[in-house]
Amino acid sequence: MKLNKYLLSFSPSSFSPNSSQIQIFVSQNRDIESWYMPFMGTYIIKSPKSLDQLNAQFAQFFGGNMYLLLYTDSGLTTGSLPQGIWNWFNDEVNPFIPPPAHGG
């Protein structure tokens, strides 16, 4: 099954919904096959659903609060992420992806 790739962005300082509520929504959404949060307020999402189908769910969840949902593809995306994340993003594999390390 081909999975579409999306980038979800929102304000991590928002009170409604807050970051914890968004993480619960993303992690429990049966239409999201896998996801990774590289930074606060940003998720990379893989889903078999179309942009319109997935956006309808997020629009209802965010309830008028601002967010951005972008369709992306392997050949159109670049940046500085761990190689394991790029392997997951570029292939249809779902390896264990450790959370990003935070300096302390």
Side-chain angles (χ1 to χ4, degrees), residues 34-103:
S34 59
W35 57 273
Y36 178 69
M37 184 179 67
F39 330 105
M40 292 299 296
T42 303
Y43 283 84
I44 301 168
I45 294 171
K46 286 179 146 183
S47 173
K49 297 297 182 183
S50 71
L51 179 61
D52 288 340
Q53 291 170 321
L54 202 56
N55 185 59
Q57 295 179 35
F58 280 106
Q60 182 176 10
F61 175 75
F62 277 90
N65 293 305
M66 293 192 308
Y67 70 96
L68 184 64
L69 184 63
L70 301 170
Y71 172 83
T72 188
D73 204 357
S74 299
L76 304 173
T77 307
T78 188
S80 178
L81 294 173
Q83 187 59 48
I85 302 306
W86 288 117
N87 294 345
W88 165 77
F89 183 82
N90 292 321
D91 297 326
E92 299 300 327
V93 297
N94 188 10
F96 170 73
I97 300 173
H102 297 285

Coordinates of all heavy atoms in Angstrom, one line a residue, residues 34-103:
S34 N 2.2 5.9 10.4 CA 3.4 6.1 11.2 C 3.7 7.6 11.2 O 3.2 8.4 10.3 CB 4.6 5.3 10.7 OG 4.9 5.6 9.4
W35 N 4.5 8.1 12.1 CA 4.8 9.5 12.3 C 6.1 9.7 13.0 O 6.6 8.8 13.7 CB 3.6 10.2 13.0 CG 3.3 9.7 14.4 CD1 2.4 8.7 14.7 CD2 3.9 10.1 15.6 NE1 2.4 8.4 16.0 CE2 3.3 9.3 16.6 CE3 4.8 11.0 16.0 CZ2 3.7 9.4 18.0 CZ3 5.2 11.2 17.3 CH2 4.6 10.4 18.3
Y36 N 6.6 10.9 12.9 CA 7.8 11.3 13.6 C 7.7 12.8 13.9 O 7.3 13.6 13.0 CB 9.1 11.0 12.7 CG 10.4 11.4 13.4 CD1 10.8 10.7 14.5 CD2 11.1 12.4 12.9 CE1 12.0 11.1 15.1 CE2 12.3 12.8 13.5 CZ 12.8 12.1 14.6 OH 14.0 12.5 15.2
M37 N 8.1 13.2 15.1 CA 8.1 14.6 15.5 C 9.6 15.0 15.6 O 10.2 14.8 16.6 CB 7.4 14.8 16.8 CG 7.3 16.2 17.2 SD 6.4 16.5 18.7 CE 7.5 15.8 19.9
P38 N 10.1 15.6 14.5 CA 11.5 16.1 14.6 C 11.7 17.3 15.4 O 12.8 17.5 16.0 CB 11.9 16.4 13.1 CG 10.6 16.7 12.5 CD 9.5 15.9 13.2
F39 N 10.7 18.2 15.6 CA 10.8 19.4 16.4 C 9.5 19.6 17.0 O 8.4 19.2 16.5 CB 11.2 20.6 15.5 CG 12.0 20.3 14.3 CD1 11.4 20.3 13.0 CD2 13.3 20.1 14.4 CE1 12.1 20.1 11.9 CE2 14.1 19.8 13.3 CZ 13.5 19.8 12.0
M40 N 9.5 20.4 18.0 CA 8.2 20.8 18.7 C 7.3 21.6 17.6 O 7.8 22.4 16.9 CB 8.4 21.8 19.8 CG 9.1 21.1 21.0 SD 8.2 19.7 21.7 CE 6.7 20.6 22.3
G41 N 6.1 21.2 17.5 CA 5.2 21.8 16.6 C 5.2 21.3 15.1 O 4.6 21.8 14.3
T42 N 6.0 20.2 14.9 CA 6.1 19.6 13.6 C 6.1 18.1 13.6 O 6.8 17.5 14.4 CB 7.4 20.1 12.9 OG1 7.5 21.5 12.9 CG2 7.6 19.5 11.5
Y43 N 5.2 17.5 12.7 CA 5.1 16.1 12.6 C 5.3 15.7 11.1 O 4.8 16.4 10.2 CB 3.8 15.6 13.0 CG 3.5 15.5 14.5 CD1 3.1 16.6 15.2 CD2 3.7 14.3 15.1 CE1 2.9 16.5 16.6 CE2 3.5 14.2 16.5 CZ 3.1 15.3 17.2 OH 2.9 15.2 18.6
I44 N 6.1 14.7 10.9 CA 6.1 14.0 9.6 C 5.1 12.9 9.7 O 5.3 12.1 10.6 CB 7.5 13.6 9.2 CG1 8.5 14.8 9.2 CG2 7.5 12.9 7.8 CD1 9.9 14.3 9.1
I45 N 4.2 12.8 8.8 CA 3.1 11.8 8.9 C 3.1 11.0 7.6 O 3.2 11.5 6.5 CB 1.7 12.5 9.1 CG1 1.7 13.2 10.5 CG2 0.6 11.5 9.0 CD1 0.5 14.1 10.7
K46 N 2.8 9.6 7.8 CA 2.6 8.8 6.6 C 1.2 8.2 6.8 O 0.8 7.7 7.8 CB 3.6 7.6 6.6 CG 5.0 8.0 6.1 CD 5.9 6.8 6.2 CE 6.9 6.9 5.1 NZ 7.7 5.7 5.1
S47 N 0.4 8.3 5.7 CA -1.0 7.9 5.7 C -1.4 7.5 4.3 O -1.0 8.1 3.3 CB -1.9 9.0 6.2 OG -3.3 8.7 6.1
P48 N -2.3 6.5 4.2 CA -2.8 6.1 2.9 C -3.9 7.1 2.5 O -4.3 7.1 1.3 CB -3.4 4.7 3.1 CG -3.8 4.7 4.6 CD -2.7 5.5 5.3
K49 N -4.4 8.0 3.3 CA -5.5 8.9 3.0 C -4.9 10.1 2.2 O -3.8 10.4 2.2 CB -6.1 9.5 4.3 CG -6.7 8.4 5.2 CD -7.9 7.8 4.4 CE -8.6 6.8 5.3 NZ -9.7 6.1 4.6
S50 N -5.9 10.6 1.4 CA -5.5 11.8 0.6 C -5.4 13.0 1.5 O -5.8 13.0 2.6 CB -6.6 12.1 -0.5 OG -7.8 12.6 0.2
L51 N -4.8 14.1 0.9 CA -4.6 15.3 1.6 C -6.0 15.8 2.1 O -6.2 16.2 3.3 CB -3.9 16.4 0.8 CG -3.7 17.8 1.4 CD1 -2.9 17.7 2.6 CD2 -3.1 18.7 0.4
D52 N -7.0 15.8 1.3 CA -8.3 16.3 1.6 C -8.9 15.5 2.8 O -9.5 16.0 3.7 CB -9.3 16.3 0.4 CG -8.9 17.4 -0.6 OD1 -8.3 18.4 -0.2 OD2 -9.3 17.3 -1.7
Q53 N -8.8 14.1 2.7 CA -9.3 13.3 3.7 C -8.7 13.5 5.1 O -9.3 13.6 6.1 CB -9.2 11.8 3.3 CG -10.0 11.4 2.1 CD -9.7 10.0 1.6 OE1 -8.5 9.6 1.5 NE2 -10.7 9.2 1.2
L54 N -7.3 13.6 5.0 CA -6.6 13.8 6.3 C -6.9 15.2 6.8 O -7.1 15.4 8.0 CB -5.1 13.6 6.1 CG -4.3 13.2 7.3 CD1 -4.8 12.0 8.0 CD2 -2.9 13.0 6.9
N55 N -6.9 16.2 6.0 CA -7.2 17.5 6.4 C -8.6 17.7 7.0 O -8.7 18.5 8.0 CB -7.1 18.5 5.2 CG -7.2 19.9 5.7 OD1 -6.4 20.4 6.5 ND2 -8.2 20.7 5.2
A56 N -9.6 17.0 6.6 CA -10.9 17.1 7.2 C -10.8 16.6 8.6 O -11.5 17.3 9.5 CB -11.9 16.2 6.4
Q57 N -10.0 15.6 8.9 CA -9.9 15.2 10.3 C -9.1 16.3 11.2 O -9.5 16.5 12.3 CB -9.1 13.9 10.4 CG -9.8 12.7 9.7 CD -9.0 11.5 9.8 OE1 -8.2 11.2 10.8 NE2 -9.1 10.6 8.8
F58 N -8.0 16.8 10.6 CA -7.3 17.8 11.4 C -8.1 19.1 11.5 O -8.1 19.8 12.6 CB -6.0 18.1 10.7 CG -4.9 17.1 11.0 CD1 -4.5 16.2 10.1 CD2 -4.3 17.0 12.3 CE1 -3.6 15.2 10.4 CE2 -3.4 16.1 12.6 CZ -3.0 15.2 11.7
A59 N -8.9 19.5 10.5 CA -9.7 20.7 10.6 C -10.7 20.6 11.8 O -10.9 21.5 12.5 CB -10.4 21.0 9.3
Q60 N -11.3 19.4 11.9 CA -12.3 19.2 12.9 C -11.5 19.2 14.3 O -12.0 19.8 15.3 CB -13.0 17.9 12.7 CG -14.0 17.6 13.8 CD -14.8 16.3 13.5 OE1 -14.5 15.6 12.7 NE2 -15.9 16.1 14.3
F61 N -10.4 18.5 14.4 CA -9.6 18.4 15.6 C -9.2 19.8 16.1 O -9.3 20.2 17.2 CB -8.4 17.5 15.4 CG -7.6 17.5 16.6 CD1 -8.0 16.8 17.8 CD2 -6.3 18.1 16.6 CE1 -7.1 16.7 18.9 CE2 -5.5 18.1 17.8 CZ -5.9 17.4 18.9
F62 N -8.6 20.6 15.1 CA -8.1 21.9 15.5 C -9.2 23.0 15.7 O -8.9 24.0 16.3 CB -7.1 22.4 14.4 CG -5.7 21.9 14.6 CD1 -5.3 20.7 14.0 CD2 -4.7 22.5 15.4 CE1 -4.0 20.2 14.2 CE2 -3.5 22.0 15.6 CZ -3.1 20.9 15.0
G63 N -10.4 22.7 15.2 CA -11.5 23.5 15.5 C -11.3 25.0 15.3 O -11.7 25.8 16.1
G64 N -10.8 25.4 14.1 CA -10.6 26.8 13.8 C -9.2 27.4 14.2 O -8.9 28.5 13.8
N65 N -8.5 26.6 15.0 CA -7.1 27.1 15.4 C -6.2 26.8 14.2 O -6.4 25.9 13.4 CB -6.6 26.4 16.6 CG -7.4 26.9 17.8 OD1 -7.6 28.1 18.1 ND2 -8.0 25.9 18.5
M66 N -5.1 27.6 14.1 CA -4.2 27.5 12.9 C -3.3 26.3 13.0 O -2.8 25.9 14.0 CB -3.4 28.8 12.9 CG -4.1 30.1 12.6 SD -3.1 31.5 12.1 CE -2.0 31.6 13.5
Y67 N -3.2 25.7 11.8 CA -2.2 24.6 11.5 C -2.0 24.6 10.1 O -2.6 25.3 9.3 CB -2.8 23.3 12.0 CG -3.9 22.8 11.1 CD1 -3.7 21.9 10.1 CD2 -5.2 23.2 11.3 CE1 -4.7 21.5 9.3 CE2 -6.3 22.8 10.5 CZ -6.0 21.9 9.5 OH -7.0 21.5 8.7
L68 N -1.0 23.9 9.7 CA -0.6 23.7 8.3 C -0.4 22.3 8.0 O 0.4 21.6 8.7 CB 0.7 24.5 8.0 CG 1.2 24.6 6.6 CD1 0.2 25.4 5.7 CD2 2.5 25.4 6.5
L69 N -1.0 21.7 7.0 CA -0.8 20.3 6.5 C -0.4 20.4 5.1 O -1.1 20.8 4.2 CB -2.1 19.5 6.7 CG -2.0 18.1 6.4 CD1 -1.1 17.3 7.4 CD2 -3.4 17.4 6.5
L70 N 0.8 19.9 4.8 CA 1.4 19.9 3.5 C 1.7 18.5 3.0 O 2.2 17.6 3.7 CB 2.8 20.6 3.5 CG 2.8 22.1 4.0 CD1 4.3 22.5 4.1 CD2 2.1 22.9 3.0
Y71 N 1.3 18.2 1.7 CA 1.7 17.0 1.1 C 3.1 17.1 0.6 O 3.5 18.2 0.1 CB 0.8 16.7 -0.1 CG 1.2 15.5 -0.9 CD1 0.9 14.3 -0.6 CD2 2.0 15.7 -2.1 CE1 1.3 13.2 -1.3 CE2 2.4 14.7 -2.8 CZ 2.1 13.4 -2.5 OH 2.5 12.3 -3.2
T72 N 3.9 16.1 0.8 CA 5.3 16.2 0.3 C 5.7 14.8 -0.3 O 4.9 13.9 -0.2 CB 6.3 16.6 1.5 OG1 7.6 16.8 0.9 CG2 6.3 15.5 2.6
D73 N 6.8 14.7 -0.9 CA 7.3 13.5 -1.5 C 8.8 13.4 -1.3 O 9.5 14.4 -1.1 CB 6.9 13.4 -2.9 CG 6.8 12.0 -3.5 OD1 7.1 11.1 -2.7 OD2 6.4 11.8 -4.6
S74 N 9.3 12.2 -1.5 CA 10.7 11.9 -1.2 C 11.6 12.8 -2.1 O 12.6 13.4 -1.6 CB 11.0 10.5 -1.5 OG 10.3 9.6 -0.7
G75 N 11.4 13.0 -3.3 CA 12.2 13.8 -4.2 C 12.1 15.3 -4.0 O 12.8 16.1 -4.6
L76 N 11.1 15.7 -3.2 CA 10.9 17.1 -3.0 C 11.2 17.6 -1.6 O 10.9 18.7 -1.2 CB 9.4 17.4 -3.3 CG 8.9 17.0 -4.6 CD1 7.4 17.2 -4.7 CD2 9.6 17.8 -5.7
T77 N 11.9 16.8 -0.8 CA 12.1 17.1 0.6 C 13.6 16.9 0.9 O 14.2 15.9 0.5 CB 11.3 16.2 1.5 OG1 9.9 16.3 1.1 CG2 11.4 16.6 2.9
T78 N 14.2 17.8 1.7 CA 15.6 17.7 2.1 C 15.7 18.4 3.5 O 14.8 19.1 3.9 CB 16.5 18.3 1.1 OG1 17.9 18.0 1.5 CG2 16.4 19.8 0.9
G79 N 16.8 18.2 4.1 CA 17.0 18.8 5.4 C 18.1 18.0 6.2 O 18.8 17.2 5.6
S80 N 18.2 18.4 7.4 CA 19.2 17.7 8.3 C 18.5 16.9 9.4 O 18.1 17.5 10.4 CB 20.1 18.8 8.9 OG 21.0 18.2 9.8
L81 N 18.2 15.7 9.1 CA 17.6 14.7 10.1 C 18.5 13.5 10.1 O 19.3 13.2 9.2 CB 16.2 14.3 9.6 CG 15.2 15.4 9.6 CD1 13.9 14.9 9.0 CD2 14.9 16.0 11.0
P82 N 18.4 12.7 11.2 CA 19.2 11.5 11.2 C 18.9 10.6 10.0 O 17.8 10.5 9.5 CB 18.7 10.8 12.5 CG 18.1 11.9 13.4 CD 17.6 12.9 12.4
Q83 N 19.9 9.8 9.6 CA 19.8 9.0 8.4 C 18.7 8.0 8.5 O 18.0 7.7 7.5 CB 21.1 8.3 8.1 CG 21.1 7.5 6.8 CD 20.8 8.4 5.6 OE1 21.4 9.5 5.4 NE2 19.9 8.0 4.7
G84 N 18.4 7.4 9.7 CA 17.3 6.5 9.9 C 16.0 7.1 9.6 O 15.1 6.4 9.1
I85 N 15.8 8.4 9.9 CA 14.6 9.0 9.6 C 14.4 9.2 8.1 O 13.3 8.9 7.5 CB 14.5 10.4 10.2 CG1 14.6 10.3 11.7 CG2 13.2 11.1 9.8 CD1 13.7 9.3 12.4
W86 N 15.5 9.5 7.3 CA 15.4 9.6 5.9 C 15.1 8.2 5.3 O 14.4 8.1 4.3 CB 16.7 10.2 5.3 CG 16.8 11.7 5.6 CD1 17.7 12.3 6.3 CD2 15.9 12.7 5.2 NE1 17.5 13.6 6.4 CE2 16.3 13.9 5.7 CE3 14.7 12.7 4.4 CZ2 15.7 15.1 5.5 CZ3 14.0 13.9 4.2 CH2 14.5 15.1 4.7
N87 N 15.7 7.2 5.8 CA 15.4 5.8 5.3 C 14.0 5.5 5.5 O 13.3 5.0 4.6 CB 16.3 4.8 6.0 CG 17.8 5.0 5.8 OD1 18.2 5.6 4.8 ND2 18.6 4.3 6.6
W88 N 13.4 5.8 6.6 CA 12.0 5.6 6.9 C 11.1 6.5 5.9 O 10.2 6.0 5.3 CB 11.6 6.0 8.3 CG 10.2 6.1 8.6 CD1 9.3 5.2 8.8 CD2 9.5 7.4 8.8 NE1 8.0 5.7 9.0 CE2 8.1 7.1 9.1 CE3 9.9 8.7 8.8 CZ2 7.2 8.1 9.3 CZ3 9.0 9.7 9.0 CH2 7.6 9.4 9.3
F89 N 11.5 7.7 5.8 CA 10.7 8.7 4.9 C 10.7 8.2 3.5 O 9.7 8.3 2.8 CB 11.3 10.1 5.1 CG 10.6 11.1 4.3 CD1 9.4 11.7 4.8 CD2 11.0 11.5 3.0 CE1 8.7 12.6 4.1 CE2 10.3 12.5 2.3 CZ 9.1 13.0 2.9
N90 N 11.9 7.8 3.0 CA 12.0 7.5 1.6 C 11.5 6.1 1.2 O 11.2 5.9 0.0 CB 13.5 7.6 1.1 CG 14.0 9.1 1.2 OD1 13.2 10.0 0.8 ND2 15.2 9.3 1.6
D91 N 11.5 5.2 2.1 CA 11.0 3.9 1.9 C 9.7 3.6 2.5 O 9.2 4.4 3.4 CB 12.0 2.8 2.4 CG 13.4 3.0 1.7 OD1 13.4 3.3 0.5 OD2 14.4 2.7 2.4
E92 N 9.1 2.5 2.2 CA 7.8 2.2 2.8 C 8.0 1.2 4.0 O 7.2 0.4 4.3 CB 6.9 1.5 1.8 CG 6.6 2.4 0.6 CD 5.8 3.6 0.9 OE1 5.0 3.6 1.9 OE2 6.1 4.7 0.3
V93 N 9.1 1.4 4.7 CA 9.4 0.6 5.9 C 9.0 1.4 7.1 O 8.9 2.6 7.1 CB 10.9 0.3 6.0 CG1 11.3 -0.6 4.8 CG2 11.8 1.5 6.0
N94 N 8.8 0.7 8.2 CA 8.4 1.4 9.5 C 9.3 0.9 10.6 O 8.9 0.1 11.4 CB 6.9 1.1 9.8 CG 6.5 1.9 11.0 OD1 7.1 2.8 11.4 ND2 5.3 1.5 11.5
P95 N 10.6 1.3 10.6 CA 11.5 0.9 11.6 C 11.2 1.6 12.9 O 10.4 2.6 13.0 CB 12.8 1.4 11.1 CG 12.5 2.6 10.4 CD 11.2 2.3 9.7
F96 N 11.7 1.1 14.0 CA 11.6 1.8 15.3 C 12.4 3.1 15.1 O 13.5 3.1 14.7 CB 12.2 1.0 16.4 CG 12.4 1.8 17.7 CD1 11.2 2.1 18.4 CD2 13.6 2.2 18.1 CE1 11.4 2.9 19.6 CE2 13.7 3.0 19.2 CZ 12.6 3.3 20.0
I97 N 11.7 4.2 15.4 CA 12.4 5.5 15.3 C 12.5 6.1 16.7 O 11.5 6.4 17.3 CB 11.5 6.4 14.4 CG1 11.4 5.8 13.0 CG2 12.1 7.8 14.3 CD1 10.4 6.6 12.1
P98 N 13.7 6.2 17.2 CA 13.8 6.8 18.5 C 13.5 8.3 18.5 O 13.6 9.0 17.5 CB 15.3 6.6 18.8 CG 16.0 6.5 17.5 CD 15.0 5.9 16.5
P99 N 13.0 8.8 19.7 CA 12.7 10.2 19.7 C 13.9 11.0 19.6 O 15.0 10.5 19.8 CB 12.1 10.3 21.1 CG 12.6 9.2 21.9 CD 12.8 8.1 20.9
P100 N 13.8 12.3 19.1 CA 15.0 13.1 18.9 C 15.6 13.4 20.3 O 15.0 13.5 21.3 CB 14.4 14.4 18.3 CG 13.0 14.4 18.6 CD 12.6 13.0 18.8
A101 N 17.0 13.5 20.3 CA 17.7 13.7 21.5 C 17.6 15.2 21.8 O 17.6 16.1 20.9 CB 19.2 13.4 21.3
H102 N 17.4 15.5 23.1 CA 17.4 16.9 23.5 C 18.5 17.2 24.4 O 18.8 16.5 25.3 CB 16.0 17.2 24.3 CG 14.8 17.0 23.4 ND1 14.4 17.9 22.5 CD2 13.9 16.0 23.4 CE1 13.3 17.4 21.9 NE2 13.0 16.3 22.4
G103 N 19.3 18.3 24.1 CA 20.4 18.7 24.9 C 19.9 19.2 26.2 O 18.8 19.6 26.4

